[in-house]
Amino acid sequence: SRLICMTQTGSELEFEVKESLKDVKENVKSVAYSMNEAEKTVKFDVVTLEDRALVIELKPDNEYHVIGGGSFDSLHSALLNTSAAYSGAFMNDLASRLGALAELQKD
């Protein structure tokens, strides 16, 4: 989960946003973003694995605000706290990676 700094230039910010999406897109149905340079905000439109539509805004305070929910320090933690399916998929992915690592260490 990457930290995105709202003081970055537009292209730096866009790069960081795209990188943070890589961290989460495997465990959601869809995710898109739009940037508002004037307000220094990034809006993420997410459809979770449960088919819930979430709007998450990254504001100049570097907090991710889930509309109708709480505030979080990353897109990843916002999704972990608002989507049970995201949490489950993330934990399954983590478990399979750890299992593969354990197999490698046996040899």
Side-chain angles (χ1 to χ4, degrees), residues 1 5 7-8 14 18 22 24 27 31 38 45-46 53 55 57 59 81-83 91-93 96-98 101 107:
S1 58
C5 181
T7 58
Q8 292 169 308
E14 190 153 8
K18 285 180 178 169
K22 285 182 189 173
V24 303
N27 299 321
V31 59
D45 291 293
V46 181
V55 177
E57 280 189 332
K59 298 202 172 171
N81 284 285
T82 53
S83 168
M91 295 313 254
N92 288 340
D93 184 44
S96 67
R97 287 182 195 193
L98 289 172
L101 192 60
D107 297 338

Side-chain angles (χ1 to χ4, degrees), residues 70-105:
S71 297
F72 303 93
D73 64 353
S74 71
L75 189 57
H76 174 67
S77 64
L79 288 165
L80 276 178
N81 284 285
T82 53
S83 168
Y86 180 89
S87 298
F90 175 73
M91 295 313 254
N92 288 340
D93 184 44
L94 195 58
S96 67
R97 287 182 195 193
L98 289 172
L101 192 60
E103 285 300 312
L104 284 173
Q105 290 181 334

Side-chain angles (χ1 to χ4, degrees), residues 19-91:
E19 288 297 304
S20 75
L21 293 182
K22 285 182 189 173
D23 294 341
V24 303
K25 71 178 181 189
E26 298 298 316
N27 299 321
V28 295
K29 282 195 173 174
S30 69
V31 59
Y33 73 93
S34 56
M35 295 171 59
N36 183 326
E37 298 242 4
E39 292 181 15
K40 294 254 185 254
T41 60
V42 181
K43 185 174 99 176
F44 298 92
D45 291 293
V46 181
V47 177
T48 67
L49 295 173
E50 305 97 323
D51 280 321
R52 276 182 50 221
L54 291 177
V55 177
I56 303 170
E57 280 189 332
L58 173 59
K59 298 202 172 171
D61 61 4
N62 288 326
E63 290 276 314
Y64 290 78
H65 300 271
V66 178
I67 306 304
S71 297
F72 303 93
D73 64 353
S74 71
L75 189 57
H76 174 67
S77 64
L79 288 165
L80 276 178
N81 284 285
T82 53
S83 168
Y86 180 89
S87 298
F90 175 73
M91 295 313 254

